[in-house]
Amino acid sequence: MAEQRVTLLQGGLVVDGSAAPGQPGDVLLVGERIAAVAAPGRIPAQLLAGDVEVIDCSGKVVAPGFIDVHTHDDAAAIEKADMLPKLSQGVTTVIVGNCGISLAPVVTDAPAAPLSLLGSGQFRHASMRAYAAAVDAARPGVNVAALLGHTALRMRHMPVLDRPANEAERAAMAADMQEAMDAGALGLSSGIFYEEAYAADVPELVAVATVAARNGGVYATHIRDELAGILPALQEAALTARQSGLPLVISHHKCAGPANWGRTRETLPLIEALARGQEMAMDVYPYTAGSTVLREDLVDGVIDILITGSKTHPEMGGRYLKDIAAQWGLSQQEAARRLKPGNACYFQMREDDVDRVITHPLSMIGSDGLPHDERPHPRLWGAFPRVLASYWRERGLLQLEQAIHKMSGMSARRFRIGERGLLAAGFMADVVVFDPKTVRDGATFEAPRQFSEGIEKVWVNGVLSYTGEARAAVARAGRFVRRGQGMPPSV
Ligand code: ZN
Ligand code: CU
Protein backbone atom coordinates (compact mmCIF):
# COMPACT_ATOMS: atom_id res chain seq x y z
CA MET A 1 0.00 0.00 0.00
CA ALA A 2 1.27 3.46 -0.84
CA GLU A 3 2.45 5.56 2.07
CA GLN A 4 -0.38 7.89 3.15
CA ARG A 5 0.16 11.48 4.15
CA VAL A 6 -0.50 11.97 7.89
CA THR A 7 -1.15 15.44 9.30
CA LEU A 8 -1.97 16.27 12.91
CA LEU A 9 -3.72 19.58 13.54
CA GLN A 10 -2.83 20.08 17.16
CA GLY A 11 -4.39 22.15 19.90
CA GLY A 12 -6.90 24.29 18.02
CA LEU A 13 -10.48 25.12 18.91
CA VAL A 14 -12.32 22.41 16.99
CA VAL A 15 -15.67 23.64 15.66
CA ASP A 16 -17.01 20.59 13.87
CA GLY A 17 -19.72 22.08 11.64
CA SER A 18 -22.66 20.47 13.44
CA ALA A 19 -23.39 23.62 15.49
CA ALA A 20 -22.24 21.80 18.64
CA PRO A 21 -20.05 23.89 20.99
CA GLY A 22 -16.42 24.16 19.93
CA GLN A 23 -13.90 22.19 21.99
CA PRO A 24 -10.13 22.32 22.23
CA GLY A 25 -8.84 19.30 20.37
CA ASP A 26 -6.71 17.56 17.78
CA VAL A 27 -7.71 16.53 14.28
CA LEU A 28 -5.82 13.83 12.41
CA LEU A 29 -5.85 13.66 8.62
CA VAL A 30 -4.71 10.43 6.98
CA GLY A 31 -4.67 10.39 3.21
CA GLU A 32 -7.84 11.99 1.91
CA ARG A 33 -9.89 11.40 5.06
CA ILE A 34 -10.22 12.57 8.63
CA ALA A 35 -8.95 9.66 10.72
CA ALA A 36 -9.76 10.99 14.19
CA VAL A 37 -11.03 13.97 16.14
CA ALA A 38 -10.16 13.92 19.84
CA ALA A 39 -9.49 15.95 22.99
CA PRO A 40 -5.97 17.42 23.15
CA GLY A 41 -3.36 14.64 23.23
CA ARG A 42 -5.96 11.87 22.96
CA ILE A 43 -5.49 10.69 19.37
CA PRO A 44 -4.79 6.93 19.67
CA ALA A 45 -1.03 6.31 19.52
CA GLN A 46 -1.28 3.61 16.85
CA LEU A 47 -2.67 6.21 14.43
CA LEU A 48 0.39 8.37 14.98
CA ALA A 49 2.99 5.76 14.00
CA GLY A 50 5.36 6.78 11.20
CA ASP A 51 5.84 10.17 9.63
CA VAL A 52 3.41 12.71 11.06
CA GLU A 53 3.41 16.33 10.09
CA VAL A 54 2.34 18.28 13.18
CA ILE A 55 0.73 21.68 12.74
CA ASP A 56 0.37 23.84 15.81
CA CYS A 57 -3.16 25.28 15.79
CA SER A 58 -3.17 26.88 19.23
CA GLY A 59 -5.18 30.07 19.23
CA LYS A 60 -6.73 29.05 15.91
CA VAL A 61 -10.09 27.62 14.89
CA VAL A 62 -10.15 24.28 13.06
CA ALA A 63 -13.35 23.89 11.04
CA PRO A 64 -14.72 21.92 8.11
CA GLY A 65 -13.83 23.51 4.78
CA PHE A 66 -16.65 25.84 3.82
CA ILE A 67 -19.25 24.87 1.23
CA ASP A 68 -20.34 27.67 -1.08
CA VAL A 69 -23.87 26.53 -1.90
CA HIS A 70 -24.61 29.25 -4.44
CA THR A 71 -22.06 29.76 -7.18
CA HIS A 72 -21.71 30.34 -10.88
CA ASP A 73 -18.30 28.66 -10.98
CA ASP A 74 -19.30 26.07 -13.61
CA ALA A 75 -16.74 27.27 -16.16
CA ALA A 76 -14.30 28.84 -13.69
CA ALA A 77 -13.70 25.41 -12.16
CA ILE A 78 -12.30 24.35 -15.53
CA GLU A 79 -10.64 27.45 -16.97
CA LYS A 80 -9.61 29.27 -13.76
CA ALA A 81 -8.96 26.01 -12.01
CA ASP A 82 -6.90 27.29 -9.09
CA MET A 83 -10.22 28.67 -7.79
CA LEU A 84 -8.30 31.15 -5.68
CA PRO A 85 -11.27 33.47 -4.96
CA LYS A 86 -12.92 30.57 -3.14
CA LEU A 87 -9.98 28.65 -1.74
CA SER A 88 -8.60 31.82 -0.15
CA GLN A 89 -11.83 32.15 1.86
CA GLY A 90 -11.58 28.63 3.26
CA VAL A 91 -14.10 27.28 0.76
CA THR A 92 -13.39 23.67 -0.24
CA THR A 93 -16.56 22.79 -2.18
CA VAL A 94 -18.68 24.90 -4.53
CA ILE A 95 -22.15 24.11 -5.81
CA VAL A 96 -22.44 25.22 -9.44
CA GLY A 97 -25.42 25.45 -11.75
CA ASN A 98 -27.51 27.86 -9.69
CA CYS A 99 -30.29 30.20 -10.84
CA GLY A 100 -31.27 27.93 -13.74
CA ILE A 101 -27.90 28.54 -15.37
CA SER A 102 -25.60 25.56 -15.92
CA LEU A 103 -22.84 24.78 -18.36
CA ALA A 104 -24.12 21.27 -19.04
CA PRO A 105 -25.79 20.21 -21.27
CA VAL A 106 -25.42 23.21 -23.60
CA VAL A 107 -23.01 23.23 -26.55
CA THR A 108 -22.51 26.63 -28.20
CA ASP A 109 -19.84 29.18 -29.04
CA ALA A 110 -22.14 32.10 -28.43
CA PRO A 111 -24.15 31.62 -25.25
CA ALA A 112 -27.04 34.07 -24.90
CA ALA A 113 -27.96 35.77 -21.62
CA PRO A 114 -28.30 34.60 -18.91
CA LEU A 115 -26.05 31.64 -19.78
CA SER A 116 -23.39 34.20 -20.76
CA LEU A 117 -22.96 34.79 -17.02
CA LEU A 118 -20.70 31.73 -17.22
CA GLY A 119 -18.41 33.25 -19.86
CA SER A 120 -18.41 31.91 -23.39
CA GLY A 121 -15.51 29.50 -23.71
CA GLN A 122 -16.73 26.36 -21.96
CA PHE A 123 -20.09 25.45 -23.43
CA ARG A 124 -18.81 22.14 -24.75
CA HIS A 125 -20.40 19.55 -22.49
CA ALA A 126 -23.45 17.86 -23.94
CA SER A 127 -24.19 15.96 -20.74
CA MET A 128 -23.62 16.19 -16.99
CA ARG A 129 -21.40 13.13 -17.29
CA ALA A 130 -19.16 14.99 -19.76
CA TYR A 131 -19.08 18.04 -17.48
CA ALA A 132 -18.13 15.90 -14.49
CA ALA A 133 -15.29 14.34 -16.49
CA ALA A 134 -14.06 17.80 -17.54
CA VAL A 135 -14.02 18.93 -13.90
CA ASP A 136 -12.05 15.86 -12.86
CA ALA A 137 -9.62 16.37 -15.73
CA ALA A 138 -9.10 20.04 -14.75
CA ARG A 139 -8.46 19.03 -11.13
CA PRO A 140 -9.69 22.33 -9.72
CA GLY A 141 -8.57 23.80 -6.42
CA VAL A 142 -11.92 23.02 -4.77
CA ASN A 143 -14.52 20.28 -5.09
CA VAL A 144 -17.42 20.88 -7.44
CA ALA A 145 -20.98 19.65 -7.01
CA ALA A 146 -23.57 20.53 -9.64
CA LEU A 147 -27.20 21.41 -10.13
CA LEU A 148 -28.76 21.16 -13.57
CA GLY A 149 -30.14 24.50 -14.75
CA HIS A 150 -33.71 24.67 -15.99
CA THR A 151 -33.02 27.74 -18.16
CA ALA A 152 -30.18 25.85 -19.84
CA LEU A 153 -32.64 23.07 -20.64
CA ARG A 154 -35.14 25.54 -22.10
CA MET A 155 -32.48 27.11 -24.27
CA ARG A 156 -31.39 23.69 -25.44
CA HIS A 157 -34.81 22.29 -26.28
CA MET A 158 -37.15 25.18 -27.09
CA PRO A 159 -37.10 27.20 -30.31
CA VAL A 160 -38.87 30.11 -28.58
CA LEU A 161 -38.85 30.93 -24.88
CA ASP A 162 -41.93 33.09 -24.44
CA ARG A 163 -44.30 30.22 -23.68
CA PRO A 164 -44.39 27.16 -21.41
CA ALA A 165 -42.72 24.02 -22.74
CA ASN A 166 -44.96 21.62 -24.66
CA GLU A 167 -45.25 17.90 -24.02
CA ALA A 168 -42.31 16.90 -26.23
CA GLU A 169 -40.05 19.64 -24.83
CA ARG A 170 -40.88 18.66 -21.26
CA ALA A 171 -39.98 15.07 -22.06
CA ALA A 172 -36.64 16.15 -23.56
CA MET A 173 -35.86 18.24 -20.47
CA ALA A 174 -36.82 15.38 -18.18
CA ALA A 175 -34.49 13.05 -20.07
CA ASP A 176 -31.60 15.47 -19.53
CA MET A 177 -32.54 15.65 -15.84
CA GLN A 178 -32.35 11.86 -15.59
CA GLU A 179 -28.95 11.84 -17.27
CA ALA A 180 -27.71 14.49 -14.84
CA MET A 181 -28.97 12.59 -11.79
CA ASP A 182 -27.33 9.41 -13.10
CA ALA A 183 -24.08 11.38 -13.38
CA GLY A 184 -24.36 12.46 -9.73
CA ALA A 185 -25.97 15.90 -9.94
CA LEU A 186 -27.49 17.26 -6.73
CA GLY A 187 -30.75 18.22 -8.40
CA LEU A 188 -32.44 21.00 -10.36
CA SER A 189 -32.10 24.76 -10.24
CA SER A 190 -34.35 27.36 -11.82
CA GLY A 191 -34.25 31.08 -12.42
CA ILE A 192 -37.75 32.01 -13.47
CA PHE A 193 -36.94 35.61 -12.55
CA TYR A 194 -35.01 35.74 -15.84
CA GLU A 195 -36.86 36.58 -19.03
CA GLU A 196 -35.70 33.36 -20.70
CA ALA A 197 -37.53 31.24 -18.13
CA TYR A 198 -40.27 33.61 -17.00
CA ALA A 199 -42.89 31.90 -19.18
CA ALA A 200 -42.30 28.54 -17.52
CA ASP A 201 -45.30 27.40 -15.52
CA VAL A 202 -45.53 25.08 -12.54
CA PRO A 203 -46.38 21.97 -14.64
CA GLU A 204 -43.26 22.53 -16.77
CA LEU A 205 -41.05 22.81 -13.68
CA VAL A 206 -42.74 19.84 -12.00
CA ALA A 207 -42.16 17.68 -15.09
CA VAL A 208 -38.41 18.17 -14.69
CA ALA A 209 -38.21 18.40 -10.89
CA THR A 210 -40.10 15.12 -10.45
CA VAL A 211 -37.18 13.33 -12.10
CA ALA A 212 -34.77 14.98 -9.64
CA ALA A 213 -37.11 14.01 -6.78
CA ARG A 214 -37.26 10.33 -7.80
CA ASN A 215 -33.47 10.23 -7.65
CA GLY A 216 -33.10 11.89 -4.26
CA GLY A 217 -32.33 15.38 -5.57
CA VAL A 218 -33.10 18.89 -4.38
CA TYR A 219 -34.60 21.99 -6.03
CA ALA A 220 -32.97 25.42 -5.73
CA THR A 221 -34.73 28.41 -7.23
CA HIS A 222 -34.19 32.06 -7.97
CA ILE A 223 -37.88 32.86 -7.55
CA ARG A 224 -39.98 34.80 -10.04
CA ASP A 225 -40.13 38.02 -8.04
CA GLU A 226 -37.99 39.37 -5.19
CA LEU A 227 -39.73 42.76 -5.23
CA ALA A 228 -43.42 43.52 -4.67
CA GLY A 229 -44.58 40.04 -5.69
CA ILE A 230 -42.29 38.12 -3.38
CA LEU A 231 -44.95 36.35 -1.29
CA PRO A 232 -46.75 34.69 -4.24
CA ALA A 233 -43.34 33.89 -5.74
CA LEU A 234 -42.35 32.04 -2.56
CA GLN A 235 -45.68 30.20 -2.61
CA GLU A 236 -45.10 29.18 -6.21
CA ALA A 237 -41.66 27.78 -5.38
CA ALA A 238 -43.06 25.85 -2.43
CA LEU A 239 -45.91 24.48 -4.55
CA THR A 240 -43.50 23.34 -7.26
CA ALA A 241 -41.37 21.52 -4.72
CA ARG A 242 -44.40 19.96 -3.00
CA GLN A 243 -45.93 18.72 -6.23
CA SER A 244 -42.57 17.28 -7.29
CA GLY A 245 -41.78 15.83 -3.87
CA LEU A 246 -38.34 17.29 -3.24
CA PRO A 247 -36.58 19.55 -0.74
CA LEU A 248 -36.53 23.25 -1.62
CA VAL A 249 -33.81 25.88 -1.32
CA ILE A 250 -34.77 29.50 -1.96
CA SER A 251 -31.76 31.11 -3.64
CA HIS A 252 -30.21 34.33 -2.28
CA HIS A 253 -33.28 35.24 -0.26
CA LYS A 254 -33.77 39.00 -0.24
CA CYS A 255 -36.37 41.74 -0.23
CA ALA A 256 -35.29 43.95 -3.10
CA GLY A 257 -36.24 47.56 -3.77
CA PRO A 258 -37.00 50.37 -1.29
CA ALA A 259 -40.75 49.67 -1.40
CA ASN A 260 -39.96 46.18 -0.13
CA TRP A 261 -37.48 47.01 2.62
CA GLY A 262 -38.40 45.52 5.96
CA ARG A 263 -40.55 42.82 4.41
CA THR A 264 -38.39 39.94 5.65
CA ARG A 265 -40.78 40.39 8.60
CA GLU A 266 -43.36 38.85 6.25
CA THR A 267 -41.25 36.51 4.12
CA LEU A 268 -39.47 34.71 6.96
CA PRO A 269 -42.67 33.81 8.83
CA LEU A 270 -44.10 32.54 5.52
CA ILE A 271 -41.00 30.41 4.93
CA GLU A 272 -41.23 29.07 8.50
CA ALA A 273 -44.89 28.19 8.01
CA LEU A 274 -44.19 26.43 4.71
CA ALA A 275 -41.19 24.64 6.22
CA ARG A 276 -43.47 22.98 8.74
CA GLY A 277 -45.07 21.06 5.87
CA GLN A 278 -42.12 20.42 3.56
CA GLU A 279 -38.34 20.52 3.69
CA MET A 280 -37.28 24.06 2.91
CA ALA A 281 -34.22 26.26 3.40
CA MET A 282 -32.56 29.28 1.80
CA ASP A 283 -29.18 30.67 0.92
CA VAL A 284 -27.96 34.22 1.43
CA TYR A 285 -24.87 36.39 0.95
CA PRO A 286 -23.78 39.03 3.48
CA TYR A 287 -24.13 42.24 1.43
CA THR A 288 -26.87 44.80 0.75
CA ALA A 289 -26.07 44.87 -2.97
CA GLY A 290 -27.02 42.24 -5.49
CA SER A 291 -25.38 41.74 -8.86
CA THR A 292 -26.71 40.59 -12.17
CA VAL A 293 -27.05 41.64 -15.79
CA LEU A 294 -27.92 45.28 -16.48
CA ARG A 295 -31.70 45.60 -16.79
CA GLU A 296 -33.67 48.80 -17.19
CA ASP A 297 -36.56 47.43 -15.17
CA LEU A 298 -34.29 47.30 -12.12
CA VAL A 299 -33.36 50.98 -12.55
CA ASP A 300 -35.75 52.90 -10.30
CA GLY A 301 -33.83 56.16 -9.92
CA VAL A 302 -33.66 55.60 -6.15
CA ILE A 303 -31.12 52.89 -5.42
CA ASP A 304 -27.43 53.19 -6.25
CA ILE A 305 -26.33 51.10 -9.22
CA LEU A 306 -22.66 50.42 -9.84
CA ILE A 307 -21.83 49.48 -13.44
CA THR A 308 -19.43 46.53 -13.24
CA GLY A 309 -19.09 46.08 -16.98
CA SER A 310 -20.52 47.32 -20.27
CA LYS A 311 -19.96 45.90 -23.75
CA THR A 312 -20.77 49.20 -25.44
CA HIS A 313 -18.99 51.52 -22.98
CA PRO A 314 -16.33 49.50 -21.14
CA GLU A 315 -14.75 52.75 -19.90
CA MET A 316 -17.79 53.23 -17.63
CA GLY A 317 -17.02 50.09 -15.60
CA GLY A 318 -16.62 50.95 -11.92
CA ARG A 319 -18.78 54.09 -12.09
CA TYR A 320 -22.23 54.76 -10.70
CA LEU A 321 -25.13 54.89 -13.14
CA LYS A 322 -26.40 58.20 -11.74
CA ASP A 323 -23.05 59.86 -12.48
CA ILE A 324 -22.93 58.43 -15.99
CA ALA A 325 -26.51 59.57 -16.61
CA ALA A 326 -25.69 63.08 -15.37
CA GLN A 327 -22.60 63.25 -17.58
CA TRP A 328 -24.60 62.17 -20.62
CA GLY A 329 -27.59 64.37 -19.77
CA LEU A 330 -29.89 61.33 -19.83
CA SER A 331 -32.26 59.64 -17.43
CA GLN A 332 -30.76 56.66 -15.60
CA GLN A 333 -32.97 54.31 -17.59
CA GLU A 334 -31.80 55.78 -20.90
CA ALA A 335 -28.19 55.58 -19.77
CA ALA A 336 -28.71 51.95 -18.77
CA ARG A 337 -30.13 51.18 -22.21
CA ARG A 338 -26.98 52.64 -23.80
CA LEU A 339 -24.69 50.64 -21.54
CA LYS A 340 -26.36 47.32 -22.33
CA PRO A 341 -25.34 44.56 -22.54
CA GLY A 342 -23.59 44.84 -19.24
CA ASN A 343 -23.49 43.88 -15.60
CA ALA A 344 -24.18 45.87 -12.47
CA CYS A 345 -24.32 45.81 -8.69
CA TYR A 346 -27.68 47.01 -7.37
CA PHE A 347 -27.76 48.39 -3.81
CA GLN A 348 -31.28 47.09 -3.49
CA MET A 349 -31.43 45.65 0.04
CA ARG A 350 -31.49 47.07 3.54
CA GLU A 351 -29.14 45.84 6.22
CA ASP A 352 -31.79 44.82 8.75
CA ASP A 353 -33.33 42.50 6.15
CA VAL A 354 -29.98 40.91 5.33
CA ASP A 355 -29.27 40.49 9.06
CA ARG A 356 -32.63 38.84 9.65
CA VAL A 357 -32.06 36.33 6.86
CA ILE A 358 -28.47 35.52 7.83
CA THR A 359 -29.37 34.94 11.47
CA HIS A 360 -32.42 32.83 10.58
CA PRO A 361 -32.03 29.13 11.42
CA LEU A 362 -33.08 28.05 7.91
CA SER A 363 -30.39 30.03 6.07
CA MET A 364 -26.98 28.96 4.87
CA ILE A 365 -24.26 30.95 3.15
CA GLY A 366 -23.82 31.09 -0.62
CA SER A 367 -21.70 33.75 -2.28
CA ASP A 368 -23.50 34.06 -5.64
CA GLY A 369 -20.12 35.35 -6.86
CA LEU A 370 -19.68 36.02 -10.57
CA PRO A 371 -16.18 34.90 -11.58
CA HIS A 372 -16.34 36.22 -15.15
CA ASP A 373 -17.15 39.84 -14.28
CA GLU A 374 -14.37 42.29 -14.92
CA ARG A 375 -15.14 44.06 -11.63
CA PRO A 376 -16.89 41.37 -9.66
CA HIS A 377 -19.15 42.05 -6.70
CA PRO A 378 -16.89 41.61 -3.63
CA ARG A 379 -18.94 38.58 -2.52
CA LEU A 380 -16.85 36.54 -4.98
CA TRP A 381 -13.72 36.96 -2.86
CA GLY A 382 -15.12 37.86 0.55
CA ALA A 383 -18.49 36.38 1.50
CA PHE A 384 -17.35 33.70 3.96
CA PRO A 385 -14.78 35.64 6.02
CA ARG A 386 -17.26 38.53 6.03
CA VAL A 387 -19.84 36.40 7.83
CA LEU A 388 -17.24 35.45 10.44
CA ALA A 389 -15.98 39.00 10.90
CA SER A 390 -19.22 40.95 10.76
CA TYR A 391 -21.85 38.54 12.02
CA TRP A 392 -19.82 36.75 14.68
CA ARG A 393 -16.84 38.73 15.91
CA GLU A 394 -17.86 42.35 15.41
CA ARG A 395 -21.60 42.38 15.90
CA GLY A 396 -22.20 39.12 17.71
CA LEU A 397 -25.35 38.33 15.73
CA LEU A 398 -24.31 34.70 15.29
CA GLN A 399 -22.35 32.38 17.53
CA LEU A 400 -19.17 31.05 15.98
CA GLU A 401 -20.61 27.53 15.87
CA GLN A 402 -23.78 28.73 14.13
CA ALA A 403 -21.84 30.74 11.57
CA ILE A 404 -19.68 27.74 10.72
CA HIS A 405 -22.69 25.40 10.64
CA LYS A 406 -24.29 27.66 8.02
CA MET A 407 -21.14 27.33 5.90
CA SER A 408 -20.53 23.60 6.25
CA GLY A 409 -22.65 21.02 8.10
CA MET A 410 -26.02 22.47 7.23
CA SER A 411 -24.99 23.07 3.64
CA ALA A 412 -23.88 19.47 3.12
CA ARG A 413 -27.06 18.05 4.68
CA ARG A 414 -29.46 20.31 2.83
CA PHE A 415 -27.82 19.65 -0.54
CA ARG A 416 -27.23 15.91 0.07
CA ILE A 417 -23.46 16.07 -0.13
CA GLY A 418 -22.22 12.99 1.73
CA GLU A 419 -19.05 12.72 3.87
CA ARG A 420 -18.32 16.43 3.86
CA GLY A 421 -19.25 19.46 5.95
CA LEU A 422 -18.30 17.97 9.33
CA LEU A 423 -15.10 17.25 11.18
CA ALA A 424 -15.69 13.60 12.03
CA ALA A 425 -13.73 10.39 11.63
CA GLY A 426 -14.33 8.90 8.20
CA PHE A 427 -15.35 12.17 6.56
CA MET A 428 -13.33 13.63 3.69
CA ALA A 429 -10.47 15.82 4.87
CA ASP A 430 -11.73 19.23 3.74
CA VAL A 431 -10.50 21.51 6.53
CA VAL A 432 -9.82 25.18 7.18
CA VAL A 433 -7.68 26.67 9.95
CA PHE A 434 -8.28 30.35 10.61
CA ASP A 435 -7.34 32.98 13.16
CA PRO A 436 -10.50 34.05 14.99
CA LYS A 437 -8.93 37.34 16.04
CA THR A 438 -8.11 38.54 12.54
CA VAL A 439 -10.35 36.71 10.08
CA ARG A 440 -12.09 39.18 7.80
CA ASP A 441 -12.91 39.90 4.16
CA GLY A 442 -10.64 42.19 2.18
CA ALA A 443 -12.68 42.63 -1.01
CA THR A 444 -14.68 45.84 -1.43
CA PHE A 445 -16.77 47.34 -4.23
CA GLU A 446 -13.84 49.62 -5.07
CA ALA A 447 -11.20 46.88 -4.89
CA PRO A 448 -13.06 43.62 -5.40
CA ARG A 449 -10.15 41.24 -5.88
CA GLN A 450 -8.57 41.21 -2.44
CA PHE A 451 -7.46 38.33 -0.29
CA SER A 452 -9.16 37.79 3.03
CA GLU A 453 -7.23 38.06 6.28
CA GLY A 454 -6.79 35.28 8.78
CA ILE A 455 -7.44 32.23 6.58
CA GLU A 456 -4.24 30.37 7.41
CA LYS A 457 -4.45 26.91 5.89
CA VAL A 458 -6.94 25.02 3.74
CA TRP A 459 -6.95 21.30 2.96
CA VAL A 460 -8.97 19.80 0.13
CA ASN A 461 -9.33 16.00 0.11
CA GLY A 462 -6.42 15.83 2.57
CA VAL A 463 -4.09 17.97 0.44
CA LEU A 464 -2.83 21.30 1.77
CA SER A 465 -4.10 23.57 -1.01
CA TYR A 466 -3.86 27.17 0.26
CA THR A 467 -1.82 29.01 2.82
CA GLY A 468 -2.43 32.56 3.97
CA GLU A 469 1.31 33.00 4.18
CA ALA A 470 1.84 32.29 0.47
CA ARG A 471 -1.47 33.91 -0.53
CA ALA A 472 -1.54 31.36 -3.31
CA ALA A 473 -2.98 28.02 -4.25
CA VAL A 474 -0.21 25.60 -3.35
CA ALA A 475 -1.96 22.52 -4.78
CA ARG A 476 -5.10 21.53 -6.67
CA ALA A 477 -6.91 18.54 -5.26
CA GLY A 478 -10.59 19.12 -6.01
CA ARG A 479 -12.90 16.76 -7.86
CA PHE A 480 -16.46 16.41 -9.06
CA VAL A 481 -18.57 15.47 -6.05
CA ARG A 482 -21.59 13.23 -6.57
CA ARG A 483 -24.84 13.35 -4.62
CA GLY A 484 -24.48 11.51 -1.33
CA GLN A 485 -26.16 8.15 -1.03
CA GLY A 486 -28.41 7.22 1.85
CA MET A 487 -28.48 10.63 3.49
CA PRO A 488 -31.12 11.08 6.18
CA PRO A 489 -34.23 12.66 4.70
CA SER A 490 -34.74 15.15 7.51
CA VAL A 491 -32.32 17.87 8.54
ZN1 ZN B 1 -29.92 34.19 -8.94
CU1 CU C 1 -27.08 33.09 -8.67
Side-chain angles (χ1 to χ4, degrees):
M1 206 175 90
E3 194 62 9
Q4 299 217 76
R5 191 182 306 109
V6 181
T7 310
L8 179 64
L9 311 181
Q10 200 168 50
L13 178 70
V14 177
V15 180
D16 71 2
S18 71
Q23 305 276 1
D26 297 341
V27 177
L28 185 71
L29 315 182
V30 177
E32 62 180 24
R33 291 191 185 260
I34 298 168
V37 180
R42 303 303 281 273
I43 301 270
Q46 71 269 23
L47 293 178
L48 295 171
D51 251 356
V52 181
E53 186 183 1
V54 180
I55 301 200
D56 176 16
C57 297
S58 47
K60 307 292 155 56
V61 171
V62 183
F66 303 140
I67 297 174
D68 188 347
V69 300
H70 191 118
T71 85
H72 298 286
D73 289 331
D74 306 50
I78 296 170
E79 63 188 18
K80 304 177 184 199
D82 64 20
M83 293 295 287
L84 203 49
K86 297 297 164 70
L87 204 48
S88 61
Q89 296 180 60
V91 170
T92 54
T93 299
V94 297
I95 298 179
V96 304
N98 273 281
C99 297
I101 302 163
S102 61
L103 209 53
V106 178
V107 178
T108 176
D109 289 329
L115 297 188
S116 52
L117 221 64
L118 304 180
S120 59
Q122 287 296 329
F123 283 91
R124 331 186 160 133
H125 313 289
S127 64
M128 186 59 77
R129 188 168 304 279
Y131 175 69
V135 168
D136 281 337
R139 202 171 161 86
V142 300
N143 299 306
V144 176
L147 297 161
L148 186 69
H150 162 254
T151 303
L153 297 182
R154 293 195 116 224
M155 293 175 90
R156 185 180 197 208
H157 293 295
M158 296 178 67
V160 292
L161 300 171
D162 58 355
R163 57 163 174 81
N166 63 32
E167 202 70 32
E169 290 158 348
R170 285 189 208 170
M173 293 185 199
D176 281 350
M177 189 76 241
Q178 184 62 56
E179 189 280 331
M181 297 310 287
D182 291 342
L186 302 180
L188 177 69
S189 83
S190 75
I192 52 178
F193 156 83
Y194 291 97
E195 203 181 307
E196 293 74 10
Y198 195 79
D201 55 11
V202 170
E204 172 182 329
L205 290 159
V206 168
V208 189
T210 303
V211 178
R214 272 206 306 267
N215 292 270
V218 301
Y219 175 51
T221 178
H222 181 164
I223 59 175
R224 197 178 291 285
D225 191 339
E226 294 176 323
L227 292 111
I230 191 163
L231 296 181
L234 286 169
Q235 294 277 15
E236 179 188 22
L239 177 71
T240 304
R242 264 197 321 272
Q243 288 194 355
S244 314
L246 39 53
L248 174 63
V249 178
I250 302 293
S251 294
H252 42 56
H253 182 49
K254 65 170 84 72
C255 286
N260 244 354
W261 286 346
R263 291 191 65 204
T264 50
R265 286 204 186 84
E266 297 166 57
T267 61
L268 293 174
L270 173 60
I271 290 170
E272 285 162 26
L274 290 165
R276 283 194 279 275
Q278 66 190 105
E279 189 185 330
M280 191 162 167
M282 56 195 153
D283 66 66
V284 59
Y285 49 82
Y287 298 86
T288 55
S291 181
T292 188
V293 289
L294 186 54
R295 279 172 54 153
E296 292 122 273
D297 65 321
L298 299 177
V299 177
D300 62 2
V302 181
I303 61 167
D304 283 333
I305 297 173
L306 179 67
I307 303 300
T308 55
S310 160
K311 276 257 157 58
T312 52
H313 293 276
E315 74 281 5
M316 294 302 176
R319 294 188 58 193
Y320 282 91
L321 181 61
K322 65 169 178 292
D323 300 335
I324 300 169
Q327 184 184 326
W328 286 349
L330 297 174
S331 74
Q332 289 197 37
Q333 291 216 341
E334 285 163 340
R337 210 164 298 137
R338 255 197 219 182
L339 289 161
K340 274 177 38 169
N343 298 305
C345 289
Y346 301 85
F347 290 79
Q348 57 187 359
M349 291 167 257
R350 207 170 62 187
E351 189 155 37
D352 61 319
D353 285 315
V354 179
D355 290 352
R356 257 180 237 121
V357 177
I358 290 195
T359 55
H360 194 277
L362 291 176
S363 74
M364 57 201 145
I365 306 304
S367 71
D368 203 6
L370 299 173
H372 303 278
D373 276 11
E374 231 161 282
R375 293 162 189 277
H377 186 302
R379 64 196 184 186
L380 177 67
W381 281 82
F384 287 77
R386 184 176 175 86
V387 170
L388 293 171
S390 172
Y391 285 84
W392 168 59
R393 190 181 57 230
E394 287 161 16
R395 295 192 290 154
L397 298 177
L398 287 174
Q399 293 176 339
L400 179 61
E401 290 83 354
Q402 288 176 313
I404 289 174
H405 179 58
K406 285 172 177 289
M407 302 178 179
S408 58
M410 180 180 179
S411 324
R413 296 288 293 270
R414 291 284 185 187
F415 277 93
R416 309 314 195 244
I417 297 174
E419 305 185 319
R420 297 183 196 269
L422 293 180
L423 294 181
F427 272 56
M428 297 301 290
D430 294 343
V431 184
V432 55
V433 173
F434 66 86
D435 185 336
K437 295 179 291 302
T438 61
V439 66
R440 69 168 186 85
D441 51 314
T444 62
F445 288 93
E446 293 72 35
R449 287 196 176 85
Q450 301 292 318
F451 284 90
S452 298
E453 301 289 331
I455 303 293
E456 300 209 336
K457 289 188 169 63
V458 184
W459 286 261
V460 177
N461 297 316
V463 177
L464 181 62
S465 297
Y466 174 84
T467 72
E469 206 173 38
R471 292 213 155 174
V474 295
R476 281 170 26 193
R479 59 179 74 146
F480 187 81
V481 168
R482 286 168 182 76
R483 184 176 67 263
Q485 302 301 320
M487 305 262 307
S490 67
V491 279

